[in-house]
Amino acid sequence: MSQLRTTFTRALAALLAFGLPIVGAILIARHLAAEELEAETRSLAAEVVRRSDQALEQFEHGIAQLKLDPGIDRCSEADVTRMREITLRALHFDAMGRVSGDFLECSSFGEQASPYLLGPTDLVSDSGLAIRRRVLLPIAPNVPFVVAVKDGYAMLVRHSVASDIFADDRAASFGTFTLKDGHPIWEQGRFDSKWNRALGNGPEAVFRGDGNVVAVQRSTRYEFGGFAALPLRYLDAATHYFSRTLAPAGAGAGILLVLALDRLRRHRGSVPAMLRGALRRNEFFVLYQPTIDLRTRRCIGAEALIRWRQANGNLVRPDLFIPVAEECGLIERITERVVSIVARDTAALLLAHPECHVAINLSPADLQSASTAPMLRARFAAVGVESSRIVVEATERGMLNLDAARGILDELHSMGIRVAIDDFGTGHSSLSYLSNLKFDYLKIDKSFVDAIDQNAATSHVVNHIIDMAATLRMTVIAEGVETEAQAVTLLSWGVPYAQGWLFDKPLTVDAWAARLAADHQNT
Ligand code: C2E
Ligand code: CA
Ligand code: CA
């Protein structure tokens, strides 16, 4: 009997030892899968809002540009050409047109024999945007457009305009809706107007309903929201995926299983997915590399340099992930994050040191986006810092679309933000942008600084750059100064400012503040 009991107890213990980790692993697998699906849905909704915000901004910007040319006749060839130029620069709408009453009189699509009846308006937003949800045009009778009208101008957007957001063969629904009453504006897949209510007064919500994981997010600029929904059945598939890989690992290895799960999750994601995760988990931080006045060796500002520390402690270099973020359309979110961090980090320091500025690196996409300048001003205003304390650094790559860059740079300047041309001399573009755009600073790239004293021809080039900067009234900052000899030579050539390891490596904000305090003690 007692032998029987022992056997039974052992069997039970073995079952528990082997079984519990498996059950646990499956539960954890399900939890991880749910977390992942929710995060995916949330970032999809955020992307919908970002693009719709951008479309409306570009539309408003386009209207403002058209109004600058009142001499052009309505619907004349010149009018249509102007609208076409604006449309070509806009990323997230398909055409612009002129509307009178219920008629589309002409559009950037070109040739239109007579005014085209659009039919009645479906809804009018608080700001007076009249929206028709589904318009079929003679030029593309099978393609439904959303038509939004403001001040007699129309913006035409295909319902499928955002189909690339979710380039995956799973069934996703996403689109936009009015915040006031939850009317869909455009959508792909399905939308339920009660999803709107889940938002309440909050900025976003993620919930489960009708067999979906649903995320809704409010636009901060306009009175609409974005939604995304992914069917819950993908949860089962993802759970299977996690469990299938884990179960054969053996019941005894419970702890190993959990660790494996975690690794699996980390390594499964592509770099864009990892970047989204990094944004969500706040894995980015910023270091500050002082800019030095070569005459006094005192700090006059610093450049903000992003850093990414992954959950496992790995530090990823910005030159590895910034290009990926630029390619996959995440850079604007990253720039916004950098600006928020910098505003928070440096507000006290900037208020204590009125002579100091902070410089922020902008990517080409930031120089195409109408929201960059207002975002910069707003983030710093929120912490009591004036825009005049900000410098932005733009590279030659950002000047490829000159017209868009000019608009944004003018706007930055009108706010008192200064602009530096970064990595000067390394791009392949012609220098013609220099005569079209105004820069306050020119940053000589490290490769030229490295060549000082070593290569007479390059030294010659540096002198030319310095002369040209003087002619164009730009102040020169030399980058990557590592030796005293370089610093002395640059100063003798009339370069007033420099950055580099000779003076400081990128510092934490506290170390930067300590450096400034030391500068002041030495006066
Ligand atoms: P960059 O704008 O040319 O920044 C200067 C880079 O040179 C920084 O590298 C800095 O740490 C490094 N550096 C500074 N002084 C010296 C020196 O004396 N010697 C050497 N060898 N290196 C020096 P980091 O921080 O790795 O950044 C690399 C690039 O990543 C930056 O080049 C910039 O293009 C990009 N980046 C960094 N932060 C941001 C950001 O917030 N937004 C965007 N869009 N790009 C960023
Ligand atoms: Ca820079
Ligand atoms: Ca640079």
Side-chain angles (χ1 to χ4, degrees):
M1 185 68 197
S2 89
Q3 202 177 6
L4 194 64
R5 197 180 313 136
T6 314
T7 313
F8 179 74
T9 315
R10 278 203 187 138
L12 189 66
L15 201 67
L16 286 179
F18 292 122
L20 274 185
I22 289 188
V23 173
I26 289 173
L27 288 177
I28 293 171
R30 192 153 182 89
H31 175 76
L32 289 179
E35 228 179 28
E36 196 170 83
L37 197 65
E38 280 170 13
E40 196 172 10
T41 318
R42 184 186 278 131
S43 75
L44 208 55
E47 181 62 12
V48 166
V49 172
R50 193 186 71 79
R51 289 200 192 186
S52 305
D53 272 351
Q54 211 173 48
L56 280 168
E57 273 163 16
Q58 286 166 341
F59 178 46
E60 286 174 348
H61 189 65
I63 295 177
Q65 276 180 300
L66 291 168
K67 284 183 177 166
L68 289 178
D69 293 333
I72 294 185
D73 281 340
R74 206 179 161 82
C75 288
S76 62
E77 218 177 288
D79 193 28
V80 170
T81 305
R82 292 281 288 128
M83 290 195 287
R84 190 171 298 142
E85 283 165 2
I86 291 168
T87 304
L88 284 176
R89 283 198 296 271
L91 289 171
H92 303 307
F93 63 79
D94 298 295
M96 272 188 90
R98 295 260 202 180
V99 169
S100 167
D102 280 342
F103 287 92
L104 180 68
E105 293 188 297
C106 58
S107 77
S108 56
F109 285 134
E111 284 297 297
Q112 186 178 310
S114 55
Y116 179 73
L117 182 62
L118 293 171
T121 301
D122 293 310
L123 47 111
V124 178
S125 76
D126 284 346
S127 62
L129 204 62
I131 294 169
R132 291 169 177 82
R133 284 187 14 81
R134 266 188 116 71
V135 173
L136 296 175
L137 296 171
I139 59 145
N142 299 319
V143 181
F145 283 89
V146 172
V147 178
V149 178
K150 185 173 177 177
D151 297 350
Y153 292 97
M155 167 173 77
L156 292 87
V157 190
R158 273 168 302 136
H159 275 235
S160 56
V161 67
S163 51
D164 64 307
I165 289 185
F166 195 69
D168 191 315
D169 52 7
R170 289 180 294 168
S173 302
F174 47 87
T176 54
F177 56 86
T178 59
L179 289 173
K180 200 168 51 183
D181 36 24
H183 274 302
I185 302 172
W186 63 265
E187 77 275 5
Q188 193 155 310
R190 108 189 180 63
F191 175 70
D192 188 328
S193 58
K194 71 172 184 281
W195 291 351
N196 173 37
R197 278 179 239 139
L199 256 182
N201 290 322
E204 61 167 12
V206 182
F207 55 94
R208 294 185 188 183
D210 314 322
N212 287 294
V213 171
V214 182
V216 281
Q217 191 182 87
R218 180 189 295 277
S219 160
T220 51
R221 304 206 50 193
Y222 300 96
E223 56 295 285
F224 73 86
F227 74 89
L230 284 168
L232 274 169
R233 64 171 185 275
Y234 297 136
L235 201 53
D236 298 333
T239 310
H240 281 152
Y241 173 84
F242 282 121
S243 340
R244 210 177 40 235
T245 331
L246 289 164
I255 300 211
L256 280 181
L257 286 187
V258 173
L259 290 179
L261 258 175
D262 199 44
R263 277 186 82 79
L264 198 63
R265 177 171 61 155
R266 277 204 222 118
H267 289 279
R268 206 167 82 113
S270 59
V271 179
M274 287 163 72
L275 283 168
R276 281 197 197 90
L279 278 165
R280 229 171 29 243
R281 293 187 293 269
N282 288 319
E283 289 175 357
F284 295 113
F285 65 101
V286 174
L287 294 181
Y288 301 86
Q289 185 175 42
T291 305
I292 301 301
D293 187 329
L294 284 171
R295 294 156 294 192
T296 59
R297 297 285 167 116
R298 290 173 57 161
C299 170
I300 55 132
E303 176 179 1
L305 294 162
I306 189 171
R307 295 291 177 264
W308 176 12
R309 188 182 304 281
Q310 294 180 310
N312 60 8
N314 259 359
L315 206 58
V316 189
R317 285 169 35 196
D319 32 0
L320 295 179
F321 68 84
I322 293 286
V324 180
E326 288 176 347
E327 258 165 47
C328 69
L330 280 171
I331 190 67
E332 285 167 82
R333 287 177 59 193
I334 291 184
T335 302
E336 189 174 357
R337 181 63 56 88
V338 168
V339 173
S340 303
I341 297 174
V342 171
R344 184 199 65 200
D345 278 357
T346 66
L349 181 152
L350 291 173
L351 294 174
H353 296 278
E355 75 286 2
C356 261
H357 69 254
V358 66
I360 291 186
N361 287 289
L362 295 184
S363 284
D366 300 313
L367 293 169
Q368 315 276 305
S369 159
S371 54
T372 303
M375 183 273 291
L376 272 158
R377 175 160 66 182
R379 293 286 185 278
F380 280 88
V383 293
V385 173
E386 285 175 24
S387 309
S388 61
R389 311 295 297 286
I390 312 169
V391 173
V392 296
E393 301 194 355
T395 59
E396 293 177 336
R397 282 187 304 130
M399 304 306 135
L400 291 176
N401 184 344
L402 205 57
D403 283 345
R406 189 195 339 254
I408 309 291
L409 294 185
D410 284 349
E411 202 184 353
L412 290 164
H413 272 136
S414 73
M415 294 176 179
I417 296 176
R418 284 163 287 166
V419 183
I421 180 83
D422 198 2
D423 300 342
F424 185 81
T426 59
H428 301 289
S429 59
S430 82
L431 296 184
S432 59
Y433 68 88
L434 285 177
S435 54
N436 280 298
L437 302 173
K438 159 114 189 62
F439 294 100
D440 305 277
Y441 297 102
L442 180 155
K443 297 191 83 172
I444 298 187
D445 189 67
K446 178 174 190 305
S447 54
F448 294 107
V449 173
D450 284 344
I452 293 177
D453 293 335
Q454 293 172 17
N455 178 328
T458 316
S459 296
H460 218 63
V461 176
V462 177
N463 277 295
H464 275 303
I465 296 177
I466 295 168
D467 287 347
M468 187 200 61
T471 314
L472 294 171
R473 301 224 185 89
M474 295 185 277
T475 305
V476 176
I477 303 174
E479 290 191 293
V481 175
E482 291 182 349
T483 67
E484 188 61 38
Q486 290 167 343
V488 170
T489 308
L490 285 161
L491 182 60
S492 76
W493 287 345
V495 173
Y497 301 121
Q499 264 172 255
W501 294 355
L502 172 64
F503 313 107
D504 296 283
K505 289 206 167 174
L507 308 174
T508 62
V509 72
D510 291 339
W512 177 23
R515 188 307 159 207
L516 282 167
D519 278 357
H520 278 271
Q521 269 190 349
N522 297 337
T523 50

